[in-house]
Amino acid sequence: MSQLVPGLGLARGMLLTLRRFFEPKATIRYPEEPPEGSPKFRGRLQLLYDEYGTLKCETCFQCAQACPIECIDMGGIDTKNRYHIHWGPPETYGERRDESALRRSGRPVPDPAYEHFGPIDLAPVEAALAEYDYDPKNLLPILEATQQAYGYLPVAAIKHISNMSGAWYAMIYGTASYYGHLRFEKKGDREQAAAVAASRPPESSYRSALQAALMGGAPVEDTTQPPAANKARGSSKVRGSSKVRGSSKVRGSSKGRGRPPRAN
Amino acid sequence: MTVVGRAWNRLSLPGKLFFTLAPLLLVTTIAVIAILVIFGQLIVDFLAANLPIVRFVVAVTAVLLMSVPTAFLIIYMEMKVIALMNLRLGPDRVGPYGSLLSVVHGLKVLMKEDFTPTGVDSIVFTLAPVVVYLASVMSLLVIPFAPGLFGQDLNVGLLYFFAVGGLSVVGLLMAGWSSFNKYSLLGGLRSAAQIISYEIPLTLSVVGVLILAGTMSLNQIVLDQRGSFLDWFAFKQPLGLLIFFIAATAEANRTPFDLTEADSEIVAGFATEYSGMRFGFFFFAEYVNVFIMSALIVSLFFGGWTAPFDWPWPVHIELNPGGLGIGLLILLAVAPVVGTLVLAAPFWVARSSMPAWQALIIGFVLLNLLIGLGLFALAFLGWEWVVGLFWFLGKTYGFVFTFVWMRGTLPRVRIDQLMGFAWKWLLPASLLNLFVTAGAVVVLGR
């Protein structure tokens, strides 16, 4: 058609630009108008692979630099294949694994009371291994003997079995977690459970208090009191804090009054 | 140190400026008044005796002053319109909607180093931009902007226009030759070849209009098209209009014929060695040329400043403020106060949260707006040239928009296509137009 009528192509082009003239524009005035991302965007971190299966990450640390809550911590391989590149000055490596840093970055915070990784007496494990010829084919009997000795399977014991028998830690862990009678923690302490139950007020006191709150009327006095130690601790805490606050207030005000500001 | 010296040292910079300039201003004012009182009659007689010369000087000055804002406006229009057509926002930082960006461009060009390369013919090198710019500005002189608003109503106006407009080729050649650069020379020759080639169909396509109008005075040609829009020469000379439009595009170095300084392909053609304000003159001349070509198209084919329909002007409004006598004085004193209060009242009544002073400010601003609009409407209705100027500028900027629109759309032609089109198509077509028009006038009468 445009070959038949001369100038029709020109006219169509002109009409196209005229239509564009009135269309909404693609430009975003960035600092004034932040671009609208998807509302579900949460910024998940992910390392991407290219089509050859190689990591696309070049360890440039730009993500770690830009991260506002410093949750990205990374090491990488340099051009000579040495794993020694780190983001940030070396003296802060430990600092960035501090509890506060971990908490800020949302990673699991290690519990100092959790003693699974602690060293243990390895003699029973060694005995069990010797009995079964350090052979990973006899993994189940070795693990059962170990559990018999410790009452559960400590991490250090599994690591020792892995070292001595040559089986991978993950394999041993998988075997141990498959069987229901093998466990990684101590059996529950019945005595401790009983003590906790005894220190708690009986259920009837809660019920009467609830009754009083809902229906009105005086709460039924309960004979069992909370332990005295708890009460004392609570009161002392309150007193101590008020004391500190009061003294600091007095000190601050006296300081302010004693030294009038001097004009320079 | 004297008292005066100590007081002088205590002044800040604005204070020093004020106390320097104020006495100077005072002395100058007194001197001017004294000269006017003593020699006033003599000066007025002298100017009245040489009225054509005075008129010419005033017109040239006005046109020269007008050309710079026109160029700024068209540069801004080009940036903004092409950006909008590219789905961009374009300039939006300086001034409202970025409208002062072209002024910033002008200042930038003004502040750059005005560099003269070694080996150039410095006199010709300096004169070339002046020639190009003046050729553009001088041809504005004969364009009728409105009834009574033109530089000179020459009876050979159109001839003058093409003669002076053709001078710009000389400027381009001067620039190319004096630059001591073979690429500049080639660029200059190329643009000269293009402009001279298109000058011929441009001039020939107008001859049809000249035959129909019977005059070369642009003012008279516009007057001949008075009436409704059916009297425009665009409907009597459609082929002439088409040829003129295409040739004008090439003459003003616009896309698709902007080979002289194809900014995406070559450095700058003849302007390669230019920098600073000398380059700025070339740049401005290009945009003034766009305005001139649009104005000429409008004057020749689209009725110039005449309205496209029967416009009820000028309306003679009989106002005789002097007839009120002392009442005028009272009106002048009372009307602003009453007007402000009346206009402020609705805001103060309707919005209880608004304090009285804010309502008064709004009322005052509204009163000023109303008075301004009223005066403007009076001028629009009562003075022929205000309406005429509006129609003329509206049509002209419509064509400027078309040129910019074409630049946003069309690709550039090759140099051989450019030349072939001019000589093989436009020239025969304009000759055909000329002979058909002449035959029709002979057979049918004018």
Side-chain angles (χ1 to χ4, degrees), chain B residues 317-392:
Chain B
I317 301 162
E318 295 299 329
L319 278 181
N320 188 12
L324 289 170
I326 194 74
L328 179 67
L329 212 59
I330 296 169
L331 186 71
L332 278 180
V334 171
V337 180
V338 173
T340 305
L341 286 177
V342 165
L343 287 169
F347 289 94
W348 192 63
V349 170
R351 303 194 60 183
S352 56
S353 61
M354 183 177 281
W357 61 271
Q358 275 183 12
L360 282 178
I361 287 176
I362 290 177
F364 184 67
V365 169
L366 274 181
L367 178 74
N368 280 306
L369 274 178
L370 276 181
I371 291 175
L373 279 177
L375 285 179
F376 184 73
L378 269 183
F380 194 77
L381 289 173
W383 286 336
E384 213 177 352
W385 67 268
V386 177
V387 195
L389 191 62
F390 262 77
W391 279 115
F392 178 79

Side-chain angles (χ1 to χ4, degrees), chain A:
Chain A
M1 187 67 189
S2 59
Q3 272 85 19
L4 294 178
V5 185
L8 191 67
L10 287 186
R12 284 174 62 195
M14 297 288 273
L15 281 179
L16 178 77
T17 40
L18 192 66
R19 235 184 0 257
R20 292 279 183 277
F21 184 74
F22 295 106
E23 275 178 13
K25 303 297 172 260
T27 311
I28 299 170
R29 305 178 199 205
Y30 167 57
E32 287 105 46
E33 299 169 10
E36 284 182 23
S38 162
K40 294 182 93 175
F41 183 66
R42 290 292 180 274
R44 177 171 159 236
L45 297 174
Q46 193 174 12
L47 286 172
L48 298 176
Y49 294 85
D50 63 8
E51 60 271 36
Y52 303 106
T54 323
L55 265 179
K56 276 185 172 177
C57 175
E58 292 184 322
T59 335
C60 66
F61 300 105
Q62 284 187 16
C63 59
Q65 283 183 31
C67 182
I69 57 169
E70 297 176 20
C71 71
I72 300 176
D73 183 39
M74 55 193 300
I77 295 167
D78 70 357
T79 50
K80 296 197 172 67
N81 238 14
R82 293 171 301 194
Y83 181 87
H84 73 153
I85 308 176
H86 283 278
W87 153 244
E91 60 268 24
T92 64
Y93 292 168
E95 195 177 286
R96 276 181 281 118
R97 284 183 180 74
D98 272 358
E99 194 185 317
S100 64
L102 293 177
R103 194 159 278 138
R104 266 183 294 141
S105 60
R107 275 177 283 185
V109 180
D111 185 359
Y114 191 77
E115 290 167 343
H116 273 254
F117 298 93
I120 52 167
D121 177 24
L122 288 171
V125 192
E126 197 56 43
L129 282 167
E131 189 182 344
Y132 293 104
D133 296 335
Y134 298 91
D135 189 353
K137 282 177 184 164
N138 302 322
L139 197 55
L140 192 57
I142 295 174
L143 287 174
E144 279 168 348
T146 311
Q147 179 161 323
Q148 199 125 40
Y150 295 99
Y152 67 107
L153 296 175
V155 173
I158 300 178
K159 275 187 180 173
H160 190 70
I161 295 169
S162 171
N163 280 340
M164 291 293 123
S165 67
W168 290 352
Y169 180 91
M171 211 183 84
I172 304 171
Y173 180 85
T175 310
S177 60
Y178 179 74
Y179 291 99
H181 65 282
L182 296 176
R183 57 182 166 271
F184 299 98
E185 285 172 22
K186 282 176 189 162
K187 263 189 172 177
D189 195 337
R190 281 173 190 280
E191 288 173 12
Q192 196 186 356
V196 168
S199 69
R200 203 185 272 163
E203 198 182 348
S204 60
S205 67
Y206 292 116
R207 289 201 170 178
S208 66
L210 193 64
Q211 188 91 11
L214 292 177
M215 308 295 179
V220 181
E221 277 299 318
D222 194 38
T223 47
T224 46
Q225 292 291 325
N230 272 351
K231 200 176 179 182
R233 207 193 302 145
S235 65
S236 76
K237 200 176 182 180
V238 169
R239 201 168 56 229
S241 67
S242 71
K243 203 179 189 176
V244 166
R245 215 187 301 135
S247 66
S248 75
K249 198 175 179 183
V250 167
R251 200 169 61 225
S253 63
S254 71
K255 200 176 179 181
R257 209 179 296 137
R259 212 180 284 165
R262 187 179 293 166
N264 296 345

Side-chain angles (χ1 to χ4, degrees), chain B residues 8 17 57 78 87 114 135 233 242 319 326-328 386 417 428 441:
Chain B
W8 176 256
L17 277 177
V57 169
E78 178 145 295
L87 294 184
D114 194 7
F233 283 140
L242 189 68
L319 278 181
I326 194 74
L328 179 67
V386 177
Q417 291 170 339
V441 167

